[in-house]
Amino acid sequence: MIQEKVIVSTQPLQWKCVESRADSKRLYYGRFIMAPLRRGQGDTIGIAMRRALLGEIEGTCITCAKSEKIPHEYSTIAGIQESVHEILMNLKEIVLRSNLYGTCDASICSKGPGYVTAHDIILPPSVQIVDKTQHIANLTEPIHLCIELQIERNRGYRIKAPKKFQNVTYPIDAIFMPVRNANHSIHSYVNGNEKQELLFIEIWTNGSLTPKEALHEASRNLIDLFIPFLNAEEENFHLENNQPKENLPLFNFHRRLAKPKKTTKEVALKYIFIDQSELPPRIYNCLKTSNINTFLDLLNNSQEDLLKIKDFRREDVKHIMNALEI
């Protein structure tokens, strides 16, 4: 039994794609699994990954249209079925894929009668159209439709700012996010005497990236965000000189932390938030209302100080010690 538990607990994390499909040119779906995880790690990874998938991945969009023949955004043009506003909304939906940095120019120049689609957009080599059948306008008469476009690669969502543009230039709301939706779910199970978790991640993209590509890019972006913490100097994490080092409060675990030699586990307690403990909700709320957010804050309060907190009881001390596994 002991040998089996050691094998399970040291098993490396693994992930794989359990489902992948293309519902259309502009809708890809992927489902991934990661295991084995310790209890609580599923939410830690899943929440961070979902936020990175939706907010940290760059995409390419048409952000501006320009034409001297368009009087204003809500006008209509003879020989074109759609209004100018409808044409701009259709341009907003065009899905592009690129390795572009910054902005570039593109254009549409088409003669009717006939349909104008994404296939009619003249693009630089660094930009590709995901679905060339996307509709832009229907020319019902033999007229020319010429529009200059601005293409940009960025992230997130940007609302147009009309005041920054001239009359012949029309900004377009930009949805740079290639990931349309992302969910995570957790399956908990018991393996021997150890509780473990399976993390499932679902990703829907607009076709400019596959779900697997999106997962890789989101992971790289998360790593880049945390690298500065790895390079931080160690003294930045030391206690300030004005924080109490003697006369620690009266709990048993305070005396243990007061020893000259502190174990790694004991030192780590000073950097654990009470949100990470398994305290009952009532005790947790009592501590939060008194601005006790970490176990370091807790160590700086004596038992008498805690008993002054509204609704805090003497037996609650036992729950705190059990949460610390003292």
Side-chain angles (χ1 to χ4, degrees):
M1 291 292 291
I2 296 178
Q3 184 177 3
E4 292 179 356
K5 182 177 180 180
V6 171
I7 293 174
V8 171
S9 61
T10 58
Q11 183 180 351
L13 286 176
Q14 295 181 346
W15 75 275
K16 65 178 180 178
C17 179
V18 294
E19 186 177 356
S20 179
R21 66 174 186 265
D23 294 332
S24 68
K25 291 183 179 181
R26 288 178 283 142
L27 183 58
Y28 285 28
Y29 171 79
R31 189 165 182 253
F32 306 87
I33 185 173
M34 174 178 279
L37 297 168
R38 295 181 180 179
R39 183 174 57 180
Q41 289 182 336
D43 273 330
T44 301
I45 299 174
I47 293 173
M49 186 60 69
R50 183 177 186 274
R51 292 183 64 88
L53 285 165
L54 294 175
E56 298 297 329
I57 301 179
E58 293 186 344
T60 306
C61 292
I62 299 172
T63 57
C64 181
K66 180 180 179 180
S67 177
E68 295 181 355
K69 295 183 178 181
I70 300 177
H72 58 81
E73 180 179 350
Y74 298 99
S75 63
T76 58
I77 300 176
I80 302 179
Q81 180 176 322
E82 291 81 4
S83 66
V84 174
H85 179 73
E86 289 173 330
I87 294 175
L88 294 177
M89 292 300 99
N90 291 337
L91 290 172
K92 174 183 174 180
E93 298 296 325
I94 301 297
V95 179
L96 302 173
R97 179 186 178 104
S98 77
N99 54 4
L100 172 73
Y101 290 94
T103 62
C104 69
D105 296 326
S107 64
I108 299 174
C109 191
S110 184
K111 181 180 179 180
Y115 291 101
V116 181
T117 65
H119 179 74
D120 298 303
I121 302 177
I122 303 172
L123 295 167
S126 60
V127 183
Q128 296 86 37
I129 298 173
V130 172
D131 184 1
K132 294 184 178 182
T133 65
Q134 284 189 264
H135 180 76
I136 296 176
N138 180 17
L139 307 184
T140 59
E141 297 179 10
I143 64 171
H144 284 88
L145 176 65
C146 295
I147 304 176
E148 297 178 19
L149 304 174
Q150 179 178 290
I151 295 174
E152 182 178 346
R153 181 178 174 88
N154 211 317
R155 64 175 186 169
Y157 181 84
R158 186 171 65 205
I159 299 177
K160 59 184 178 182
K163 294 182 181 179
K164 297 182 180 180
F165 295 85
Q166 301 174 357
N167 293 334
V168 297
T169 304
Y170 302 94
I172 300 173
D173 291 344
I175 305 175
F176 295 105
M177 301 176 290
V179 176
R180 291 304 187 218
N181 195 13
N183 290 326
H184 82 278
S185 58
I186 298 168
H187 171 69
S188 301
Y189 64 98
V190 177
N191 192 345
N193 295 324
E194 187 176 3
K195 290 185 177 180
Q196 295 183 337
E197 294 179 345
L198 294 171
L199 172 63
F200 293 91
I201 298 178
E202 293 181 291
I203 303 173
W204 290 262
T205 70
N206 64 358
S208 62
L209 288 179
T210 66
K212 186 176 180 180
E213 289 172 333
L215 190 64
H216 286 174
E217 187 168 341
S219 301
R220 287 194 298 267
N221 291 340
L222 275 178
I223 292 171
D224 290 341
L225 289 173
F226 285 108
I227 283 178
F229 292 103
L230 299 178
N231 298 331
E233 296 181 3
E234 186 176 355
E235 59 263 22
N236 292 339
F237 296 94
H238 289 171
L239 295 178
E240 297 179 2
N241 294 330
N242 60 353
Q243 290 187 355
K245 297 181 181 179
E246 299 178 353
N247 299 326
L248 293 172
L250 302 178
F251 294 126
N252 292 335
F253 55 85
H254 291 147
R255 290 197 294 271
R256 292 182 60 184
L257 290 174
K259 295 179 181 179
K261 273 192 173 183
K262 300 179 179 68
T263 65
T264 303
K265 180 178 180 181
E266 290 169 336
V267 174
L269 289 176
K270 295 188 177 184
Y271 307 107
I272 298 177
F273 289 86
I274 61 173
D275 311 61
Q276 301 169 252
S277 65
E278 296 183 355
L279 293 173
R282 184 182 58 79
I283 300 178
Y284 171 80
N285 292 330
C286 287
L287 297 177
K288 292 291 284 187
T289 54
S290 299
N291 203 28
I292 298 176
N293 300 310
T294 68
F295 283 121
L296 178 60
D297 299 332
L298 187 60
L299 293 174
N300 291 328
N301 286 271
S302 66
Q303 182 174 346
E304 286 75 13
D305 293 332
L306 295 179
L307 289 175
K308 294 177 182 178
I309 300 175
K310 184 179 179 180
D311 297 328
F312 194 89
R313 307 168 186 171
R314 288 189 177 274
E315 56 267 26
D316 295 339
V317 176
K318 184 177 180 181
H319 287 290
I320 295 176
M321 297 178 68
N322 289 337
L324 294 174
E325 297 181 356
I326 301 290

